[in-house]
Amino acid sequence: MIPALRLRIGGLGHWLLLLLCLSLAGQALAAPPRAELLPGASDGDWLLIIEADGQLRGDELSLTPLLRQFAVGRVTLSRVTTEVRSLTRWQIPLHRVASDARQVPTLALGTQWTPSLPLPERNEPQASAGAANGAAPLSPIELQASVLHQGPLYPGQPFLYQLSLWLPANLEAPNLSEPAGNGFTIRRLGDDRWESPASPGMPGRLTRRWLLQAKEPGFHPLESPRFQGRLPQEGGQSEALSARAATQFIKVDKAPVEPVASRLILRQQLSPATGARVGEPVIRTLTLVMEGGDGNRLPRLPQSRLPAGLLARPDGEQQEERFVAKGALRFERQWRQALSAEAPGRYPLPAVDLPWFNTRNGRIEHARLPAQTLIFEAAIPSSEQAPAPVGESLNWVLVALLLRTLWRGGPRWLAFYRLQLALAAGEPDSARWALLAWADLRWTGAHQHLASLPCHGDPAIGALLDNLDRACFDSSSPANAEVDWRRLAKALCAFDTVAVASGLSMLAWLRH
């Protein structure tokens, strides 16, 4: 037992020694901290920039050695994380208070040390850690580009490209171009963010972002924007400055067959919700919401076969794309159908299934709409309708004589009468459907959008039709908040036989 125990302890000791060696080797291979100095407004002002790989805490950097020779301003800590690299950056304003100060001392940063930097004269190029002899002088402006995305990237999937610039406060005629890359669609995202200098004479920080979408798979270069400006010099002269950050190389994987997104939702709305009577439409609205994907690559929804006797007519389509929080791209598409039945009965709507690729977990998921049954009841016979008030009898007689005399216009006037009834009821969906049905009879051809109607070009009615469209499609506002129903009903009478249309309109509003 004892020799076996010693053997096990000895084997464990070898493993611990091996792990210790690997840990020491990893520390030895880690890149040392980097440091550089940027000049301030006066001879005694400097900006010390220290960078270290990894995500570090601010208190891991000891500033005590600086306090013996410099007055230290407000320290700014920032972290940058990309798919292949992360680093922590300190910006430390310094003002020399000791006349014999000739260099920035080394500082303890966790288990490592920053390099010491000599303070260069103003007429000499500034020094940085690890700079070789004869290196070009550092520019007083600094640019850093980073790609803010983690995980695989697919064509059409949006991601952020961020550019940070450290600029002198007295820079003149600044100009920043746009990033260049033939393999990407590039759009500016939001407003610039400016961080004022930590102390007078120090550089400030400008941050600008772009939203990019790759066009195809591959390994694509992305060139940084070029910054140009002029730095004032003594004697009224100025020095031209130009700088560009390092080029980024973006790897784009081949996209799956399914739509790629970080979030995808499919919704359905029926109006009326359960059904209607034969001859009346049920408006079916399908809404697809996608985040973190490309709406232009979105396929059409799978078309399910409708049951016999149920007819579907396209009733318009709209789509919208906008930016949301943290630079995400939100795409929304909406389809509308007018469903009508030839006979009373129960009509099942098939389920809808749309597979899509979730970039958050790398799995295929499904956006589904369950099956639903519509019930269409028989139309109410004219004999069962409620009797008209006594005051409307004369109107009914006049209308009947007029329709008998001018029988050829009967179908169109019947459609116009139904339109006036829908307007009097203040129902946006029914009014829009009835308006399109009347337009098909009034003007030869099929019409699917209110904006395509010939009467839309009339200034007196174009805005009213737009308000009706907005009441049907804009879910963020009340359905009939902006629709002037009486004014729209009156204006439409001018586009049919005026006498007949006016009588039908008056009759419809009296009935309602």
Side-chain angles (χ1 to χ4, degrees), residues 259-297:
V260 175
S262 59
R263 183 168 175 258
L264 193 144
I265 300 176
L266 190 59
R267 298 194 299 262
Q268 176 178 257
Q269 181 181 2
L270 297 173
S271 178
T274 56
R277 297 187 181 275
V278 174
E280 299 177 355
V282 173
I283 304 300
R284 183 190 192 189
T285 304
L286 299 173
T287 304
L288 188 146
V289 180
M290 169 192 285
E291 290 186 4
D294 187 0
N296 296 324
R297 298 173 181 265

Side-chain angles (χ1 to χ4, degrees), residues 220-404:
H220 305 289
L222 180 61
E223 293 185 0
S224 159
R226 178 173 292 280
F227 180 84
Q228 294 177 315
R230 304 194 68 85
L231 188 65
Q233 303 291 330
E234 296 181 358
Q237 302 295 324
S238 62
E239 177 186 0
L241 299 177
S242 178
R244 188 194 296 268
T247 299
Q248 301 283 329
F249 291 89
I250 313 299
K251 183 179 182 296
V252 183
D253 297 334
K254 185 177 180 180
V257 178
E258 295 78 11
V260 175
S262 59
R263 183 168 175 258
L264 193 144
I265 300 176
L266 190 59
R267 298 194 299 262
Q268 176 178 257
Q269 181 181 2
L270 297 173
S271 178
T274 56
R277 297 187 181 275
V278 174
E280 299 177 355
V282 173
I283 304 300
R284 183 190 192 189
T285 304
L286 299 173
T287 304
L288 188 146
V289 180
M290 169 192 285
E291 290 186 4
D294 187 0
N296 296 324
R297 298 173 181 265
L298 186 66
R300 301 286 300 183
L301 286 181
Q303 297 294 327
S304 302
R305 187 174 182 180
L306 297 178
L310 186 64
L311 305 178
R313 174 183 173 181
D315 196 40
E317 177 179 334
Q318 289 188 353
Q319 65 183 34
E320 180 185 11
E321 188 176 52
R322 65 180 183 271
F323 302 118
V324 292
K326 297 182 180 180
L329 189 62
R330 180 187 177 96
F331 177 84
E332 183 172 328
R333 178 177 291 172
Q334 189 177 89
W335 299 268
R336 287 164 57 96
Q337 291 177 317
L339 304 176
S340 58
E342 298 178 344
R346 301 173 64 90
Y347 296 88
L349 290 178
V352 178
D353 185 285
L354 178 63
W356 62 286
F357 182 81
N358 191 336
T359 58
R360 294 182 177 178
N361 54 28
R363 295 201 300 263
I364 300 294
E365 299 187 1
H366 293 263
R368 294 186 176 93
L369 291 177
Q372 192 163 347
T373 301
L374 293 180
I375 302 175
F376 282 86
E377 299 178 355
I380 300 178
S382 57
S383 59
E384 297 181 8
Q385 295 181 358
V390 177
E392 300 178 12
S393 301
L394 181 60
N395 293 331
W396 274 108
V397 173
L398 294 176
V399 171
L401 292 175
L402 185 60
L403 291 176
R404 184 177 181 181

Side-chain angles (χ1 to χ4, degrees), residues 54-61 77 79 88 90 109-110:
Q55 298 292 319
L56 305 178
R57 301 190 312 274
D59 57 4
E60 293 190 54
L61 178 65
L77 178 67
R79 297 180 176 88
T88 305
W90 288 264
L109 179 55

